[in-house]
Amino acid sequence: GQQVMQIPQYQHVQEGEDFTTYCNSSTTLSNIQWYKQRPGGHPVFLIQLVKSGEVKKQKRLTFQFGEAKKNSSLHITATQTTDVGTYFCEDPDSWGKLQFGAGTQVVVTP
Amino acid sequence: DTEVTQTPKHLVMGMTNKKSLKCEQHMGHRAMYWYKQKAKKPPELMFVYSYEKLSINESVPSRFSPECPNSSLLNLHLHALQPEDSALYLCASSRTSSNQPQHFGDGTRLSIL
């Protein structure tokens, strides 16, 4: 397999603004998972998307799986300082170094 | 709070030392994992145990030796490590090894002198 590509790698957001991070694959994914890692912390599971076109919401976080199951997005509305961290998408079918995307590091300024 | 417990939290060792990292979970998960994570990089999978059997070894050097004594415990034995092995070592578990969400421990921050 190939590593899922995540963009952007770095996101600087003003508190209260919205932003989106994207995860793209050259191959069809059976499912995709998203994790958040706070600075100095460990990855924490956020969501798993399985169905084509699936949309799931967790408060201010909206996760989407593309119709072709080759891409996914995480949209955060009204960013807060608690949203600081690195967001990883993960392709559970690609073991090893290809498993996680490079991550989007989010910095929030008040 | 994490349901996967790793010890020690920090470890400094010389290149000739032998040490072990420990991981424990009591969620009844049957898959356990070791990852290595360098600063500002994603976790890289090292080993997967499924039902206490080693199912994946991602071409990890033999100076890292995993062990799964039972379904709740996972060890990583370290011997003759190199400075480039300094990293955060994360343990994770999941219900099974098939597309299940993983629960990560806090990790062991390892420094090799």
Side-chain angles (χ1 to χ4, degrees), chain A residues 32-96:
Chain A
I32 194 158
Q33 297 178 11
W34 285 88
Y35 290 80
K36 176 184 177 181
Q37 186 171 19
R38 292 181 187 273
H42 59 273
V44 174
F45 172 76
L46 295 177
I47 207 88
Q48 181 178 32
L49 304 171
V50 178
K51 298 176 185 174
S52 168
E54 189 170 15
V55 178
K56 287 187 176 180
K57 292 191 175 185
Q58 290 180 352
K59 297 182 180 177
R60 294 177 296 102
L61 277 60
T62 301
F63 301 85
Q64 192 162 2
F65 204 8
E67 292 291 341
K69 300 180 74 171
K70 287 187 175 182
N71 55 70
S72 180
S73 64
L74 160 58
H75 181 78
I76 300 183
T77 57
T79 305
Q80 299 177 359
T81 54
T82 52
D83 296 323
V84 163
T86 301
Y87 294 82
F88 293 103
C89 62
E90 187 224 4
D91 170 13
D93 293 327
S94 277
W95 290 114

Side-chain angles (χ1 to χ4, degrees), chain B residues 1-5 23-32 71-73 91-96 101-105:
Chain B
D1 286 341
T2 180
E3 296 164 313
V4 177
T5 305
C23 176
E24 190 169 1
Q25 58 87 15
H26 294 289
M27 294 178 282
H29 289 175
R30 303 312 300 269
M32 295 187 76
S71 60
S72 300
L73 293 174
C91 172
S93 71
S94 61
R95 207 154 50 86
T96 67
Q102 295 179 59
H103 297 249
F104 284 83

Side-chain angles (χ1 to χ4, degrees), chain A residues 3 30-31 33 35 37 40-45 48 88 90-97 99-103 105, chain B residues 1-2 33 35 37 40-45 48 56 58 88 90 97-107 109:
Chain A
Q3 185 177 30
S30 63
N31 69 101
Q33 297 178 11
Y35 290 80
Q37 186 171 19
H42 59 273
V44 174
F45 172 76
Q48 181 178 32
F88 293 103
E90 187 224 4
D91 170 13
D93 293 327
S94 277
W95 290 114
K97 295 180 181 180
Q99 190 175 349
F100 283 87
Q105 184 183 349
Chain B
D1 286 341
T2 180
Y33 312 77
Y35 286 88
Q37 187 177 28
K40 300 192 183 301
K41 295 291 186 183
E44 290 186 359
L45 184 68
V48 180
I56 294 179
E58 284 290 333
L88 179 67
L90 292 160
S97 60
S98 178
N99 292 330
Q100 296 291 314
Q102 295 179 59
H103 297 249
F104 284 83
D106 289 336
R109 197 159 296 280

